[in-house]
């Protein structure tokens, strides 16, 4: 039985993975917003930078939650999301590597959490997609 699609629609495991991704994005938004800790201080940036990031992550979280319930969400959406997560995680690591020495210890774990979370989710999404090919 296919795990990703049936008649163009995502199966439950793929939809749950979208919800997990939405939850991760929401946690990242909360962390960047300053509601838990001082992300802007940890990263040595203006507060507006982390607030902008929080807004982006929050919007993505809402979109992914909606996509997880939408009947029209298909395998192509999950494939694009997988590569966006992997690309985003790699881009975060590259950008962070250029400024790593300017971060406080809290910034180190924050960057690692968000970048590695994106990479992990992207890999899990690719694995779910590959399972269909078998």
């Amino acid at each position: 039985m296919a795990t990703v699609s049936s008649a163009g629609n995502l199966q439950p495991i793929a939809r749950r993975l979208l919800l997990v991704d939405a939850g991760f994005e929401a946690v990242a938004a909360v962390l960047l917003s300053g509601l838990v800790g001082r992300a802007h201080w940890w990263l040595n940036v203006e507060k507006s930078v982390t607030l902008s990031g929080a807004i982006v992550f929050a919007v993505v979280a809402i979109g992914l939650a909606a996509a997880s319930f939408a009947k029209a969400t298909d395998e192509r959406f999950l494939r694009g999301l997988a590569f966006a997560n992997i690309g985003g995680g790699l881009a975060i690591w590259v950008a962070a590597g250029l400024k790593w020495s300017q971060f406080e210890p809290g910034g180190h774990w924050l960057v690692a959490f968000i970048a590695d979370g994106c990479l992990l989710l992207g890999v899990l999404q690719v694995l779910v997609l590959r399972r269909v090919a078998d």
Side-chain angles (χ1 to χ4, degrees):
M1 180 165 112
T3 58
V4 174
S5 62
S6 172
N9 293 323
L10 293 180
Q11 291 296 315
I13 191 167
R15 290 189 183 282
R16 283 192 293 269
L17 189 52
L18 283 175
L19 275 177
V20 169
D21 198 336
F24 169 77
E25 304 284 342
V27 169
V30 169
L31 291 172
L32 288 171
S33 72
L35 293 173
V36 180
R38 301 182 316 177
H40 69 284
W41 186 78
W42 295 335
L43 297 172
N44 199 17
V45 296
E46 294 294 321
K47 192 169 189 170
S48 62
V49 172
T50 56
L51 288 177
S52 296
I55 291 168
V56 169
F57 276 100
V59 168
V60 170
I62 293 167
L64 290 177
S68 73
F69 293 106
K71 297 270 187 219
T73 303
D74 61 9
E75 187 176 319
R76 288 178 299 162
F77 179 83
L78 188 61
R79 184 174 293 108
L81 179 62
F83 289 106
N85 274 326
I86 292 168
L90 292 173
I92 292 168
W93 272 123
V94 168
L98 298 173
K99 300 260 186 194
W100 194 256
S101 64
Q102 297 175 357
F103 297 159
E104 297 297 324
H108 293 154
W109 73 258
L110 179 61
V111 166
F113 173 77
I114 294 174
D116 288 349
C118 290
L119 290 169
L120 175 62
L121 285 163
V123 168
L124 288 173
Q125 290 156 348
V126 168
L127 290 174
V128 167
L129 288 164
R130 288 188 66 129
R131 187 165 177 191
V132 165
D134 292 342

